[in-house]
């Protein structure tokens, strides 16, 4: 009998461990490919390939993440104040925000040219207060917020037509139109939904309410515009076709099918030109009982959430959240059914197309289908809320080819350029509603969870998860090369009427109890930096940051007050302050700017009346 010496035993064990390690390494890399960690790793100093814009829900903001790393790059304030940058504090942003101090931001939508993202603007809706905001992606700041009359709960919004001719908005909570005092139990008689089209100026992005369509009092949920062969149409999912007004969890969702509303917005434009509208609250409104051929209802099972159009525009996918299939309607079938008058009744003058005539397939994706995105290989990806999974299936053959679990209860999902005519494939981002145990605990309120999935191979592969702000209803992902932000405000292009571009222009002007301070900020001082006011004065500080170097931002904060704002290089901002009580009030730069940042300060003296 031969014995192995202790030394040889150790060599044998070390060799065995090495062989196993190498085998595991290659096994994890699927035959020599990248591991999940390598696919998402962005080395220090390197940049991500994609921007992901995720809604902030009832925070009222938009989160900007880099992919594939999952890095949080910025929170863009929109519908709620952000004291870090002074949004909602300085006079300019207060004017943009208007009277509301909060908003419920659900659906980011990137501007499009020829059906693909162009990187100019990002639009986001406020479900609570019937608004749409436009964010300038040269500066990642909100430039405009528009109020949409007649719409109760602007949820199916702000989905775009392929050349950003319009952003849309539709009622979630039907109300009387015009709004007035009526008994709630007169819902069917006195309440209506509204589908709104808001025009977008092709050069400036400025939004204006163009026209609206009066609708039955359903809940209109999500939308998507037709593309290519279906250009000129838009599709809106709806539920509560029972027209219930209380206990919706019981009284709604009784029917096997609700509707996707197909809207011919090109025909609506012609109707407006021909004067076929009535004005309600100053808006041109089309009544489908009086103007035919504008809207058709497509039956869709059951309580549909998504209404997603394939990149070629041939198919409309309905995700019935109480169904077990993704229902696919064919645009050609729809047009043929309209031509033949293949209807099954009507609601409020709107024809209901026969389900069997329009449907192309019922894809058995799983339980709770919500929303569908697409890749560049002819596959569709549907989120499954009840199954906590994503299903991958083939357009045309309707075969489910893969399914991957997510954690947990996924709502929306986004692929790269997944809402366009030119999806890029590669990655999918799952936006999950619940994150039990995925992250270090931070008390009863758990972070939301986003998970990055590789969709480039036959089988989907989970790569990464990362927490997001509350609550990422929806997101869109764009190639970073298409966004070219300005890194400073060129001082010579600063046309703000309160701009001060040199020290010799700084001054204090009084008009009664109103005082205007024209101030400059530059490393590392304010000019002027010692000021005197009288009790009862209202002071407007107009601060211009003279820096023209990248990332040299200054702040302006006043002690014992609610005044703080951030001024970017070359920018002018105005903030209002009341000299309400005699005393000494220091002010200082709140954003680190230089080695002498601490010395960048001044004093305000308020003298008694």
């Amino acid at each position: 009998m031969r014995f192995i010496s202790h030394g040889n035993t150790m060599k044998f064990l070390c060799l065995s461990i090495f062989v196993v390690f190498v085998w595991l390494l290659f096994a994890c890399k699927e035959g020599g490919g990248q591991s999940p960690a390598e696919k998402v790793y962005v080395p220090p100093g390197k940049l991500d390939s994609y921007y992901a814009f995720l809604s902030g829900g009832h925070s009222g903001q938009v989160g900007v993440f880099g992919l594939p790393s999952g890095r949080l790059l910025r929170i863009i304030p929109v519908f709620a104040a952000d004291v870090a940058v002074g949004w909602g504090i300085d006079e300019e942003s207060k004017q943009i925000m208007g009277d509301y101090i909060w908003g419920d931001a659900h659906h980011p939508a990137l501007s499009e040219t020829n059906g693909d993202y162009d990187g100019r603007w990002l639009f986001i809706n406020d479900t609570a207060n019937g608004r749409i905001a436009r964010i300038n992606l040269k500066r990642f700041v909100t430039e405009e917020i528009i109020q949409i009359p007649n719409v109760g709960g602007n949820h199916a919004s702000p989905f775009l037509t392929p050349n950003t001719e319009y952003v849309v908005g539709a009622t979630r909570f039907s109300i009387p139109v015009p709004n007035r005092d009526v008994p709630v139990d007169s819902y069917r008689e006195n309440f209506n939904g509204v589908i709104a089209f808001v025009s977008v100026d092709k050069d400036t992005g400025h939004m204006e309410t163009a026209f609206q369509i009066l609708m039955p009092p359903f809940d209109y949920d999500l939308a998507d515009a037709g593309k290519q062969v279906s250009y000129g149409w838009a599709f809106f999912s709806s539920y509560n076709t029972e027209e219930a007004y209380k206990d919706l969890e019981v009284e709604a969702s009784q029917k096997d099918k609700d509707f996707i509303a197909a809207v011919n917005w090109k025909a609506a434009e012609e109707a407006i030109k021909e004067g076929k509208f009535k004005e309600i609250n100053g808006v041109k409104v089309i009544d489908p009982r009086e103007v035919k051929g504008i809207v058709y209802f497509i039956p869709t099972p059951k309580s549909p959430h998504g209404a997603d159009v394939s990149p070629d525009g041939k198919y409309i996918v309905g995700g019935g959240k109480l169904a077990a299939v993704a229902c696919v309607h064919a645009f050609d079938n729809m047009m043929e059914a309209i031509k033949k008058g293949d209807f099954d009744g009507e609601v409020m003058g709107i024809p209901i197309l026969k389900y069997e005539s329009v449907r192309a397939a019922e894809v058995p994706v799983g339980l709770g289908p919500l929303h569908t995105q697409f890749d560049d290989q002819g596959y569709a990806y549907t989120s499954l809320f009840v199954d906590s999974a994503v299903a991958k299936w083939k357009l045309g053959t309707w075969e489910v080819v893969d399914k991957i679990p997510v954690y947990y209860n996924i709502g929306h999902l986004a692929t790269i350029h997944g809402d366009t005519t030119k999806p890029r494939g590669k990655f999918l981002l799952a936006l999950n509603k619940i994150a039990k145990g995925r992250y270090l605990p931070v008390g009863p309120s758990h972070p939301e969870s986003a998970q990055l999935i590789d969709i480039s191979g036959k089988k989907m592969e989970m790569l990464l998860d990362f927490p997001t702000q509350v609550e990422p209803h929806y997101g869109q992902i764009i190639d970073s090369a298409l966004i070219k932000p300005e890194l400073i405000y060129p001082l010579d292009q600063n046309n703000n009427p309160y701009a001060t571009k040199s020290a010799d222009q700084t001054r204090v002007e009084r008009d009664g109890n109103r005082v205007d301070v024209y101030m400059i900020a530059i490393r590392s001082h304010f000019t002027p930096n010692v000021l005197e006011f009288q009790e009862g004065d209202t002071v407007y500080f107009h601060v211009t940051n003279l820096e023209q170097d990248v990332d040299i931002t200054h702040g302006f904060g006043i002690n014992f007050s609610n005044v703080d704002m951030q001024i970017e290089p070359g920018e002018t901002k105005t903030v209002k302050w009341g000299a309400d009580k005699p005393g000494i009030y220091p002010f200082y730069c709140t954003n680190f700017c230089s080695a002498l940042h601490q010395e960048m300060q001044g004093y305000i003296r308020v003298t008694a009346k």
Side-chain angles (χ1 to χ4, degrees), residues 62-80:
V62 172
V64 186
F65 293 81
L67 294 181
S69 73
R71 297 165 174 163
L72 174 61
L73 305 177
R74 179 171 172 77
I75 300 294
I76 303 174
V78 185
F79 297 117

Side-chain angles (χ1 to χ4, degrees), residues 51-55 62-65 76 108-110 122 135 137 140 414 429 431 474-478 483:
Y51 288 99
F53 295 96
L54 307 185
S55 67
V62 172
V64 186
F65 293 81
I76 303 174
L110 289 153
L122 180 76
I135 296 166
L137 292 180
F140 283 64
L429 192 64
L431 301 175
Y474 188 52
Q476 288 192 333
I477 306 170
I478 184 173
I483 295 182

Side-chain angles (χ1 to χ4, degrees), residues 25-43:
L25 178 65
F26 279 91
C28 289
K29 289 188 174 186
E30 295 183 337
Q34 287 183 306
S35 68
E38 289 173 312
K39 289 180 180 180
V40 301
Y41 180 63
V42 179

Side-chain angles (χ1 to χ4, degrees), residues 38-118:
E38 289 173 312
K39 289 180 180 180
V40 301
Y41 180 63
V42 179
K46 300 297 182 182
L47 305 180
D48 281 287
S49 300
Y50 306 99
Y51 288 99
F53 295 96
L54 307 185
S55 67
H58 45 273
S59 76
Q61 320 295 41
V62 172
V64 186
F65 293 81
L67 294 181
S69 73
R71 297 165 174 163
L72 174 61
L73 305 177
R74 179 171 172 77
I75 300 294
I76 303 174
V78 185
F79 297 117
D82 183 344
V83 297
V85 297
W87 183 260
I89 295 175
D90 66 74
E91 294 301 295
E92 293 86 357
S93 62
K94 282 164 62 178
Q95 184 175 3
I96 292 171
M97 282 182 63
D99 295 331
Y100 299 106
I101 64 169
W102 80 290
D104 194 1
H106 278 219
H107 306 121
L110 289 153
S111 57
E112 298 181 14
T113 300
N114 296 325
D116 198 9
Y117 305 148
D118 58 27

